[in-house]
Amino acid sequence: MTIELDSDRALEEETDDRFGFVGMAKRLAPSIIEASKGDGMVVGLEGRWGSGKTSLLNFLRDELTAAESQHIHTITVAPWLNGDSATLVMSLLGPIADVLEQRESELAETQGLLGEFNRKKASEVGGLISLYGQKTARTLVPLASLAGYFVPGAQAAAGALKAGGDALGQFSNREATPSELKRAIAEKIEALEVGFVVILDDLDRLEPEQAVEVVRLVRSVADFPRVAYLMCYDREVLAQALKTGLKVQDGDLFLQKIVQLTFAIPLPEPFDLRTQFRNEAEAIFAEVTGAAPDGELLEGLASAVDREGMGLSTPREVKLALNGIRFVYPSVADDVYFPDFCRLHLIKTTNFNLYKWLEEYLSVRSILVTGDGSITNDSKATMGTTLKELLPSEEIGASRSIWALRQFVPGVRTNEDPSKRVFSEVSLREAGDAIELKRLGSPLHYRYYFALTGPKTVMSDQDFNELLEFARSDLPSLKARLEHYARSLRQSGRTWFEHILDRLDDGLVSKLDKETTAGILLAMSDTMDSVIATDNKPRAFAFSVSSTAVRVAERCLVQLRAADLDTFERVSKELAEKGTSLNWLVGNFLRDQMWNHGRVGDRPSQPGQWVFSDEFLDELLNIMRGRLSSNQVHDQIAEMPDVSSFLFGWRDISGEADAREWVTANSATDHGFLTILNHLRSWAMSDSVYYPLHRSSISAFFDLDEAVERLASLHGSEHDELVQELEEAIEQARH
């Protein structure tokens, strides 16, 4: 879908005027007309780029046109389009000559003069101005060319030269000076009682040399009586151009010598720009989505425009921001929060450096949240320092304050320490709301606001929602997809399966229906062993994938328990009875529940934090004990991806005897013995990663002294290298 963009052309229709330009024009026009009846006047129409100067000129031109009945003629000159001073002079003197010739003809006809004499008088005026233009242009051009310009149809120079010569008979045989020519033209204008309003627009676009030529034209070459100049410019820009071009100390002071009267484009009335922006933004939303914004969305839009719209200063800025929204929003409407999208485009228009800072900050924050990267304190301090420079205000309500920014950008705050101004923690609720609403601060959606696509480290909403739909209606497809994502690495080296677990946070799970929640649990109970087999590397400063999966499963069960107790109990029993990922169910999930209940370990949770009641946990453990007693399960243990966690879980669930019996049977051979010891190693990290073998782990399943003695006896055997490694691991564990 495409929306028509605003071309940012100056207004011409009165019905399009939202800022009172028509009223200004009606009141200014009479004064300008009066100025054109006197000795000449230069009026400056001043305003910033984009403030509406040309729109006001268009409406003024309409009002001035009505004065032609008083023989007041409007001439528009565009110095920016003229290539040299000769063209600039001619672009003004040519229309003046045309008007004077026409007026000469009209007067001759009223006096009953013959046509031949009439034409002669008219051509004398054209020739006079033609000669003056040739003499005053800095870049001299052939007089024949000027004749063709001033006298329509005069292809040969002879006619114009003769006409000019006749007009200058009063100067005897000598060549007339430019001053004499200028005086003759001024007398002709006075005699014919014709007035001119010359509009010079876009003077603030000129190069310094061009600006000097315009000033020379207005105050020297063509400062005729009955000619009022209306110069349109940004005062600061034109003053700087004159300073450079004339090499004067103060360009603004020099400009004051040129302009006798100034009218500054007034600032829009309070809220006018914001009101226009909001009204058109609402129209864009309605056109794209098919419905007008309402409720919280409308309130969010009003808040965004009210705060960030404070920076708007000209109608052009409104158009720029709206055009950015018109151009991009149809492509990302399903992936962004419209109030934040409008807010960002207002910032981009009024504070571009802050826009670029936000792009960098949100990009870094995204990889921090997803665990795909890290940042040093020095880098934090640099970003915090820059943020304070961009938003220096300490006032709570000010738009350019960190306080205002934190209303829609998570993790920023005021602090004397620059490194603590950024990447601070946010509540789970705040993070969940940002993701759910697809806000600018969402690590999953922020990139849509800048690049029209999602972050490469984040799964698209479409793909993620497809998984949720599989959980509801197609478990085999969900299991296959999860196993695929467990084998697929992101740029950070972490798997897409971990990303899925990260997405299943409290905020998202709390909004799932019971069918979807149940599907996720059942799929995990059948795929987690495959996941562990693919990715069971130790993680420094982070949970392992198996531990993260336990947290997600607990989250889903709590949600299911609140939604439907019967479904909760049914699904929980199905996990224990049929879940094929026994390694994870025994070694991680059920073992963690026993720790939470204080059945093992030394870190019991409060009963209010339990997923299961004591009685129901006993029921699940009994189901699992029955499964663990089967020889079929015993035959699978040696091939499990994490034998150690399974053995400890089995021990805690069924007691030491069964697990020890299996260990004894499977350590009958030296290879089996060493393999089990190797499985029992844990890991630790200091200057590097170590895999110590703790004596407590050995004694859980062996007689410690016998095991150590047996290990020592294997020196010099075919297993000598592994024996030495295991003895070193035992020594490392002591430290």
Side-chain angles (χ1 to χ4, degrees):
M1 177 180 184
T2 58
I3 297 181
E4 184 177 353
L5 301 179
D6 190 328
S7 64
D8 193 31
R9 294 186 182 278
L11 303 178
E12 295 182 353
E13 300 295 331
E14 293 187 5
T15 53
D16 294 331
D17 176 32
R18 296 181 179 86
F19 301 105
F21 293 135
V22 172
M24 293 180 212
K26 291 182 181 297
R27 288 164 176 76
L28 282 174
S31 299
I32 295 172
I33 290 171
E34 285 303 311
S36 69
K37 296 177 181 179
D39 292 334
M41 173 76 72
V42 179
V43 179
L45 186 61
E46 300 178 343
R48 287 180 53 192
W49 281 339
S51 60
K53 299 186 296 295
T54 304
S55 294
L56 177 56
L57 281 183
N58 287 341
F59 295 129
L60 265 173
R61 192 179 291 108
D62 292 341
E63 297 297 321
L64 295 171
T65 300
E68 288 189 2
S69 59
Q70 305 174 43
H71 302 297
I72 306 298
H73 298 269
T74 302
I75 298 171
T76 299
V77 179
W80 193 45
L81 299 178
N82 293 312
D84 53 51
S85 62
T87 308
L88 178 61
V89 171
M90 291 188 292
S91 65
L92 172 60
L93 297 183
I96 289 178
D98 291 341
V99 170
L100 294 179
E101 288 176 355
Q102 180 64 32
R103 181 60 177 158
E104 190 86 74
S105 297
E106 290 172 357
L107 290 175
E109 288 179 4
T110 59
Q111 296 169 9
L113 298 175
L114 297 177
E116 184 63 32
F117 179 77
N118 185 340
R119 285 191 294 274
K120 179 180 178 183
K121 293 288 288 181
S123 64
E124 284 183 2
V125 174
L128 184 67
I129 294 178
S130 173
L131 288 173
Y132 182 63
Q134 189 267 344
K135 287 180 175 291
T136 55
R138 290 196 188 274
T139 305
L140 296 180
V141 295
L143 192 56
S145 298
L146 288 169
Y149 185 88
F150 288 123
V151 185
Q155 301 301 320
L161 290 171
K162 184 176 184 303
D166 292 343
L168 296 173
Q170 57 182 303
F171 301 117
S172 187
N173 291 325
R174 66 178 175 82
E175 182 177 352
T177 66
S179 296
E180 292 169 333
L181 292 171
K182 180 179 178 182
R183 185 169 60 252
I185 295 170
E187 291 171 354
K188 180 63 69 174
I189 292 173
E190 292 274 24
L192 294 175
E193 296 183 340
V194 176
F196 297 93
V197 176
V198 179
I199 296 175
L200 295 159
D201 195 8
D202 291 330
L203 300 188
D204 43 20
R205 299 188 187 187
L206 300 178
E207 296 291 333
E209 295 77 10
Q210 293 174 303
V212 171
E213 285 302 318
V214 170
V215 169
R216 175 175 169 269
L217 173 71
V218 169
R219 294 303 290 156
S220 179
V221 174
D223 58 332
F224 300 120
R226 302 182 68 88
V227 176
Y229 288 94
L230 184 57
M231 295 172 53
C232 192
Y233 53 86
D234 180 316
R235 182 167 185 148
E236 289 185 11
V237 175
L238 182 57
Q240 182 60 40
L242 291 174
K243 177 180 178 180
T244 302
L246 293 169
K247 296 180 174 56
V248 295
Q249 293 255 342
D250 191 332
D252 187 74
L253 186 61
F254 188 88
L255 185 59
Q256 292 177 30
K257 298 178 181 180
I258 307 301
V259 180
Q260 287 91 48
L261 173 68
T262 62
F263 177 80
I265 300 289
L267 294 173
E269 293 189 48
F271 301 106
D272 271 3
L273 296 177
R274 277 177 273 180
T275 299
Q276 183 194 358
F277 180 92
R278 178 178 168 181
N279 290 341
E280 295 197 34
E282 289 180 19
I284 293 170
F285 180 86
E287 185 173 350
V288 172
T289 66
D294 58 7
E296 292 184 5
L297 187 73
L298 187 60
E299 291 179 7
L301 178 62
S303 174
V305 175
D306 184 52
R307 187 169 298 280
E308 306 310 325
M310 290 181 186
L312 292 170
S313 58
T314 68
R316 176 168 292 155
E317 289 180 341
V318 174
K319 290 182 178 182
L320 284 173
L322 288 169
N323 271 344
I325 296 170
R326 289 188 180 98
F327 189 64
V328 177
Y329 184 63
S331 301
V332 296
D334 294 333
D335 301 297
V336 299
Y337 180 60
F338 187 67
D340 280 357
F341 193 74
C342 292
R343 189 193 303 269
L344 185 66
H345 278 269
L346 285 169
I347 292 173
K348 182 179 181 181
T349 302
T350 62
N351 192 352
F352 186 72
N353 288 334
L354 177 60
Y355 171 85
K356 296 304 293 182
W357 185 92
L358 285 172
E359 184 177 14
E360 179 185 4
Y361 173 77
L362 293 171
S363 176
V364 174
R365 183 176 180 275
S366 176
I367 64 172
L368 294 178
V369 170
T370 59
D372 293 311
S374 60
I375 185 172
T376 65
N377 274 334
D378 285 347
S379 296
K380 287 182 181 180
T382 298
M383 293 196 74
T385 299
T386 303
L387 177 61
K388 185 63 177 177
E389 292 170 353
L390 292 168
L391 300 175
S393 177
E394 298 288 345
E395 186 178 349
I396 290 180
S399 62
R400 297 207 170 186
S401 67
I402 296 177
W403 183 91
L405 188 69
R406 68 180 297 182
Q407 305 305 305
F408 63 96
V409 176
V412 298
R413 61 179 181 175
T414 56
N415 197 292
E416 291 300 318
D417 183 346
S419 68
K420 294 181 180 178
R421 292 179 189 142
V422 293
F423 304 116
S424 61
E425 293 185 5
V426 299
S427 68
L428 289 176
R429 179 179 178 181
E430 182 181 355
D433 287 346
I435 292 173
E436 180 186 3
L437 293 174
K438 303 175 182 178
R439 298 201 61 173
L440 178 63
S442 164
L444 311 182
H445 301 93
Y446 83 93
R447 191 164 171 78
Y448 286 104
Y449 289 80
F450 298 94
L452 311 188
T453 60
K456 292 180 180 179
T457 57
V458 173
M459 181 178 291
S460 70
D461 284 345
Q462 180 179 352
D463 288 344
F464 187 77
N465 290 334
E466 184 180 42
L467 294 177
L468 297 181
E469 184 56 38
F470 284 156
R472 184 198 311 270
S473 59
D474 189 353
L475 272 183
S477 293
L478 177 59
K479 294 174 187 177
R481 194 64 63 85
L482 291 179
E483 290 182 353
H484 165 73
Y485 285 132
R487 296 188 299 270
S488 303
L489 295 178
R490 292 181 287 164
Q491 291 180 336
S492 63
R494 301 178 70 198
T495 66
W496 282 105
F497 181 84
E498 286 184 88
H499 173 69
I500 294 168
L501 294 180
D502 291 339
R503 293 280 292 269
L504 291 168
D505 59 15
D506 286 324
L508 188 144
V509 170
S510 67
K511 296 175 175 61
L512 298 179
D513 58 43
K514 63 181 182 181
E515 292 79 13
T516 304
T517 308
I520 292 170
L521 286 164
L522 294 174
M524 289 176 63
S525 73
D526 284 346
T527 58
M528 277 307 302
D529 280 7
S530 296
V531 172
I532 296 172
T534 303
D535 180 17
N536 196 32
K537 299 183 297 292
R539 303 285 170 81
F541 315 116
F543 289 116
S544 66
V545 65
S546 54
S547 296
T548 303
V550 171
R551 304 287 87 78
V552 171
E554 291 174 339
R555 200 171 291 143
C556 289
L557 284 164
V558 169
Q559 169 65 13
L560 200 56
R561 185 182 65 194
D564 187 331
L565 186 59
D566 289 340
T567 303
F568 163 75
E569 292 183 351
R570 175 182 61 78
V571 171
S572 298
K573 289 179 180 179
E574 189 169 346
L575 298 182
E577 290 174 349
K578 300 179 181 179
T580 59
S581 291
L582 280 173
N583 196 157
W584 177 75
L585 286 168
V586 172
N588 298 101
F589 178 71
L590 286 174
R591 189 173 188 233
D592 271 23
Q593 307 317 306
M594 295 180 71
W595 278 71
N596 292 340
H597 283 248
R599 307 284 183 91
V600 294
D602 56 359
R603 53 172 178 80
S605 301
Q606 294 297 319
Q609 298 175 310
W610 294 349
V611 175
F612 306 113
S613 67
D614 258 333
E615 296 77 10
F616 192 59
L617 178 59
D618 282 335
E619 192 172 344
L620 297 178
L621 293 176
N622 283 332
I623 294 172
M624 185 56 70
R625 288 187 190 105
R627 294 185 68 185
L628 292 176
S629 65
S630 74
N631 290 329
Q632 183 180 0
V633 171
H634 296 174
D635 292 341
Q636 298 172 3
I637 296 174
E639 303 302 322
M640 287 183 176
D642 187 359
V643 173
S644 177
S645 69
F646 180 84
L647 290 176
F648 280 105
W650 187 12
R651 182 200 65 175
D652 293 342
I653 293 172
S654 300
E656 290 186 5
D658 290 346
R660 273 182 170 264
E661 182 179 342
W662 182 91
V663 168
T664 299
N666 283 268
S667 61
T669 66
D670 292 339
H671 176 268
F673 170 68
L674 295 174
T675 299
I676 291 176
L677 287 182
N678 204 31
H679 281 313
L680 293 176
R681 295 169 69 177
S682 59
W683 74 276
M685 190 186 79
S686 56
D687 56 334
S688 63
V689 176
Y690 298 92
Y691 297 91
L693 177 56
H694 292 273
R695 292 172 177 263
S696 59
S697 298
I698 300 173
S699 61
F701 303 101
F702 296 96
D703 179 279
L704 178 60
D705 293 335
E706 289 180 1
V708 172
E709 184 178 343
R710 181 178 178 183
L711 182 63
S713 70
L714 295 175
H715 277 293
S717 69
E718 59 181 314
H719 308 293
D720 187 64
E721 184 176 345
L722 179 56
V723 170
Q724 292 185 47
E725 182 181 330
L726 289 171
E727 287 184 332
E728 184 179 347
I730 294 172
E731 187 63 25
Q732 287 174 348
R734 295 178 59 188
H735 302 288

